[in-house]
Amino acid sequence: MDAWLEEAGQDRTGYAHAAARSVVFNAVRRDADGPEASRLASLATGARGDVRLWVLRLLTELASGAEDRTAAARTALALLADPDPSVRRAAAWLLAEADRAGAEEILTGPGDDLPGDDLPGDDLSGDDLPAPDPVARLALAEALLVRGGDGLVERLRGDADPAVRLRAAPAPEGEAVLEDLDAAGSRMAGPGSLVAWGIGTVWGFNARRSADESTCYAWVARLAARPTEAARLAAVDLAAVAMRHWRGAPAALVPHLRPLLADSVAAPAAVRVLGASLEAARLCREELAEPGPARAEAATLALARIGDVRALPELCRIVRAGASGWQLGEAARGLAEVPGTDLAPLVEAAAAAVDLPGPHDAGRALTVLSACGAAAAHAVPVLVRLLTELPAGPTSGRGDGGPRNQRAAHLAGSLIGTLGAIGPAAAPALPLLDSLAENGPGTRAGHTAMALIRVSGDRRRAEETLGRLGDRPRDIALAARILEWLADHGGLEPRHVTRLRANAADAERAHPRLLATLWLHAGDEPTGPSLDAFLEHVVRDGFGLYVCRVLGSLGPAAAPALSTLRAVAEQSVRVPMYFGDQDEEMREDERLAEAVRNTLRRIDGLRPEGPGPV
């Protein structure tokens, strides 16, 4: 276990962390009283601070599925008086998960001692500890309320601590709530909290469930105009939740957040929130382009995503330094979509960044090169070298070989995809790509096969790959991509059309690329069940933009899709996406909404009877 924890300590958010978490979970759940479980519990009290916090988070997650939570509750109680406030917060979250009744008693009781003799399945009398300090009490309130509890909310609204009262307030309504916000808003969501929600975020979630959007916008306006730092920061957090949920929020809230860009305290948060939305970034592009250390990185990414070439020099610096994580690829795509942009400096920066020492630096640099497409041709020698340096052995990415091999598998898949995105200019990599094992990294998703086809431009190679594919769903998905490529590179032959129709016979289960290729290249009409099934992909599986491109290419023949597209365009809340990043999901919905509106105009404007309502 110690070896896995050491790996995770070097990679707190990536593959090593996930692998270590899985190993620890499996070991502890196999034997809750075994040596691994004992070792984990000992680390909660005897390790350095950052390790203790990570272990307490693991214990909290383990407690949620455990039948006997006594040991977890005992560990949490002992740490509620720890000298480190972050550990006290983490312990409070663990106690709320392991013994909710005991946590509520501590929070709402007379406050003399922590109850030690009421833990389930054990008699811990004599282990009573001093009552928790305000840090631990607030963390208990946050942990308990994030899991619900109307009765507890009412009791806490009369608590002596203004921070606890504030956390129990459902909305920024009433002078008493605003006074508590001014006095204690900065105490919320401190380090060690399992869920780091400021009060503005809490109110945002409440607004999504119970208030209309205009009420939420009024709350943001009121908080943004208030003179205290805590109120203005709450306004920004509340606005972030609103913009992720309602499509009208960016236009409605930019006037209230724009002044905060000049606020010495709220500016960094305001830049992040305004820059996270494509629409808000466009409305504030001039303010975001103003120099300032508090906004440089977030503003640069925001400007790049909307294709503002003023971001290019600073983005190159960020890429070369290996900063900003996985957002770099999306920023690079924004600039690459601007016709005439000189991407050579960005390619040079990304090629240099593949050799940075961090566990994810190379992968992040590859996302930039992939976004640059054919413009990244000058990086091909670096990519070929990187391909030769990949470790031999099991790198399928399916859990074998430990976290280092999992990282290598992911890197291999990214590298193969990048070479495919570059296309024919990556021809020097063909011999190495050809030598990859048939079940090697990237093959399961068809990356290697498609990379070979795109780089070689060879129809014969595409035909051979197509001939080896069967009827499994992943084979049909790869076949759909190959058939689409063949249609675009020389056209389809009768046997291809026959295969397309066979694979798309069950319209409800047909891959959208099969249907699109039939309509665009085989002359089939987009009608009936096949069109209905295709339109379902507008709002699912990440195919929305692809569906819009296809329908736009079909022109008037896609007129039966107009009512479905109008419904998507007119909905007030965002289409759910599942990327794992709420801001990225918001931006994808913004792109989708814009694409749907453009497609409506294209189809409707080309109809013989003229345009209808959009």
Side-chain angles (χ1 to χ4, degrees), residues 115 140 174 325 478:
L140 283 171
L478 178 55

Side-chain angles (χ1 to χ4, degrees), residues 260-295:
L260 299 185
L261 293 172
D263 184 302
S264 60
V265 174
V271 169
R272 286 195 302 273
V273 170
L274 289 170
S277 158
L278 300 174
E279 183 179 354
R282 291 187 185 107
L283 292 170
C284 295
R285 69 165 71 219
E286 296 308 319
E287 290 89 347
L288 292 173
E290 294 175 1
R295 66 181 62 184

Side-chain angles (χ1 to χ4, degrees), residues 525-562:
E525 289 291 323
T527 58
S530 63
L531 180 61
D532 294 339
F534 188 71
L535 289 174
E536 288 184 8
H537 290 281
V538 174
V539 294
R540 78 176 198 200
D541 302 332
F543 276 103
L545 300 182
Y546 176 82
V547 169
C548 287
R549 286 196 300 272
V550 171
L551 294 174
S553 298
L554 288 169
L562 286 172

Side-chain angles (χ1 to χ4, degrees), residues 350-356 358-367 369 379-392 407-408 410-419 428-429 432-433 436 441:
V354 299
D355 291 320
L356 291 173
H360 302 300
D361 287 333
R364 291 165 181 164
L366 289 175
T367 65
L369 293 172
V380 168
V382 174
L383 301 181
V384 170
R385 173 180 58 79
L386 196 60
L387 196 57
T388 64
E389 293 173 353
L390 287 173
R407 284 199 296 273
H410 186 84
L411 180 62
S414 298
L415 179 55
I416 292 164
T418 301
L419 291 165
L432 287 168
L433 290 173
L436 290 175

Side-chain angles (χ1 to χ4, degrees), residues 307-372:
D308 192 317
V309 295
R310 289 177 291 182
L312 183 56
E314 181 63 16
L315 183 64
C316 291
R317 185 199 65 77
I318 293 171
V319 169
R320 195 178 289 273
S324 288
W326 300 105
Q327 299 182 62
L328 292 173
E330 189 183 1
R333 278 197 305 277
L335 292 175
E337 290 169 357
V338 180
T341 303
D342 180 10
L343 297 175
L346 187 58
V347 170
E348 181 183 350
V354 299
D355 291 320
L356 291 173
H360 302 300
D361 287 333
R364 291 165 181 164
L366 289 175
T367 65
V368 174
L369 293 172
S370 182
C372 293

Side-chain angles (χ1 to χ4, degrees), residues 398 413 416-417 420 433 436 438 440-454 465 469 473-475 477-479 481-482:
R398 296 171 197 153
I416 292 164
L433 290 173
L436 290 175
E438 199 164 309
T443 55
R444 185 178 180 87
H447 290 165
T448 303
M450 285 309 302
L452 284 164
I453 292 168
R454 288 173 179 145
T465 304
L469 298 176
R474 66 171 178 262
D475 284 354
L478 178 55
R481 293 161 67 189
I482 294 174

Side-chain angles (χ1 to χ4, degrees), residues 441-496:
T443 55
R444 185 178 180 87
H447 290 165
T448 303
M450 285 309 302
L452 284 164
I453 292 168
R454 288 173 179 145
V455 172
S456 68
D458 186 351
R459 283 180 63 94
R460 177 187 54 80
R461 187 188 291 270
E463 295 276 14
E464 290 174 353
T465 304
L466 186 63
R468 292 194 297 269
L469 298 176
D471 294 327
R472 294 175 299 178
R474 66 171 178 262
D475 284 354
I476 291 175
L478 178 55
R481 293 161 67 189
I482 294 174
L483 287 164
E484 186 177 51
W485 185 90
L486 287 168
D488 290 333
H489 294 78
L492 298 175
E493 297 181 10
R495 68 177 183 278
H496 299 142

